[in-house]
Amino acid sequence: MQHPRTPDPIFADERLAPLYDAFEGDRADLLPYLAIVHELGARTLIDIGCGTGEFALLAAAEGYAVQGIDPARASLNVANSKPGSALVRWHEGTVETAPASRSDLAVMTGNVAQVFLEDEVWLRTLAAIRERLRDGGHLVFEARRPSARAWESWAEPHEESRAFPSLGLVRHCRELLEVDLPLVRFRHSYAFPDGSLINSDSTLRFRSEGEHREALNRSGFEVVAVREAPDRPGKEFVFLATAV
Ligand SMILES: C[S@@+](CC[C@H](N)C(=O)[O-])C[C@H]1O[C@@H](n2cnc3c(N)ncnc32)[C@H](O)[C@@H]1O
């Protein structure tokens, strides 16, 4: 049986996870998810791959009952340090190890769906999500459209710095390592003022709309819509599926 792999250092390393939010910048991408929560009238949510908890905290602040799930302890530590964190139930692990629930809605923001490289692990994850939703509940997640070829922009030199009160200036570079579709590998490097350099290598899987539909159908979901991400038109699939 294939096991989920260890999350990338940018999420799981104690020195890197606290940098994630600053380099991620504005999270306008999360607001459409909140609109979907309202649209569906959901009250109980699970946020899978919640990372540093930005969406879970946004929803909890609006009064929703939220469970945030992520295997990266360093990211959950960041989430836990934020105002309102006591309102969220955090689970360190995968959705398969998360407590049973009959939630109204499961979300995966920030292209979490692409971290599941093997079909076996992706199907097991979807099945575990289905088990934790009530009948008629919903799953919404985004994934980059292969046709938008995001990796081409990742091949362009990318370097930026951010100042952190406790650290000083940290420089971040991104480098495309390999395109071997459907897998794309890239590296984030972080240079710290004390001279240390930490790399975080990532691999993402790009699935077609048909592959996503088939996986959802096989896992107890019916696709009700494939939408755009309003902040990234033409670049993302946003799947909205009902638990049947
Ligand atoms: C790109 S981040 C997105 C984080 C967050 N959803 C956001 O929008 O900021 C991907 C997240 O997926 C998490 N992850 C990796 N493997 C996972 C797995 N098997 N199950 C759930 N989450 C996982 C990582 O730890 C990381 O926090």
Side-chain angles (χ1 to χ4, degrees):
M1 182 197 280
Q2 300 261 22
H3 289 283
R5 51 195 71 226
T6 310
D8 306 338
I10 178 58
F11 312 119
D13 183 279
E14 291 290 346
R15 287 191 77 188
L16 296 189
L19 311 180
Y20 177 81
D21 288 332
F23 282 106
E24 207 50 26
D26 173 59
R27 294 305 306 266
D29 60 306
L30 300 179
L31 299 179
Y33 283 91
L34 211 48
I36 291 173
V37 176
H38 299 159
E39 172 190 334
L40 297 174
R43 300 303 313 161
T44 51
L45 318 181
I46 45 179
D47 181 4
I48 296 136
C50 64
T52 56
E54 286 291 290
F55 179 73
L57 291 164
L58 205 57
E62 292 217 354
Y64 298 102
V66 188
Q67 188 183 19
I69 298 169
D70 203 290
R73 177 181 301 183
S75 288
L76 290 180
N77 288 342
V78 174
N80 250 315
S81 70
K82 294 180 179 177
S85 66
L87 296 172
V88 177
R89 277 183 304 136
W90 305 105
H91 172 76
E92 182 188 331
T94 66
V95 69
E96 292 177 81
T97 64
S101 72
R102 303 291 290 162
S103 299
D104 296 325
L105 176 63
V107 300
M108 284 185 273
T109 68
N111 292 299
V112 170
Q114 292 190 252
V115 311
F116 301 96
L117 305 185
E118 302 85 3
D119 285 333
E120 185 194 331
V121 176
W122 178 226
L123 288 170
R124 283 210 326 265
T125 300
L126 289 174
I129 294 171
R130 171 63 190 92
E131 273 172 26
R132 286 158 181 79
L133 290 173
R134 65 168 172 78
D135 294 344
H138 291 89
L139 165 63
V140 58
F141 70 88
E142 63 182 33
R144 294 178 187 85
R145 291 174 185 262
S147 61
R149 304 174 70 83
W151 54 86
E152 288 180 353
S153 66
W154 300 345
E156 290 159 18
H158 177 87
E159 190 176 320
E160 58 185 336
S161 297
R162 295 275 186 280
F164 294 85
S166 52
L167 292 171
L169 207 61
V170 177
R171 200 177 81 248
H172 164 235
C173 301
R174 187 187 57 217
E175 183 190 348
L176 182 67
L177 298 177
E178 185 182 21
V179 179
D180 182 16
L181 295 175
L183 302 181
V184 176
R185 293 201 310 119
F186 54 97
R187 173 171 295 162
H188 293 287
S189 306
Y190 298 86
F192 289 80
D194 66 4
S196 52
L197 179 76
I198 307 183
N199 290 333
S200 175
D201 288 1
S202 298
T203 307
L204 295 179
R205 168 97 183 243
F206 285 72
R207 292 183 171 87
S208 67
E209 179 178 342
E211 288 171 317
H212 281 298
R213 284 182 176 274
E214 189 189 337
L216 286 162
N217 289 340
R218 283 178 61 179
S219 309
F221 290 98
E222 186 181 314
V223 176
V224 288
V226 185
R227 298 179 177 176
E228 292 276 351
D231 59 313
R232 288 155 290 162
K235 295 187 173 172
E236 297 274 328
F237 300 120
V238 180
F239 286 90
L240 177 59
T242 309
V244 288

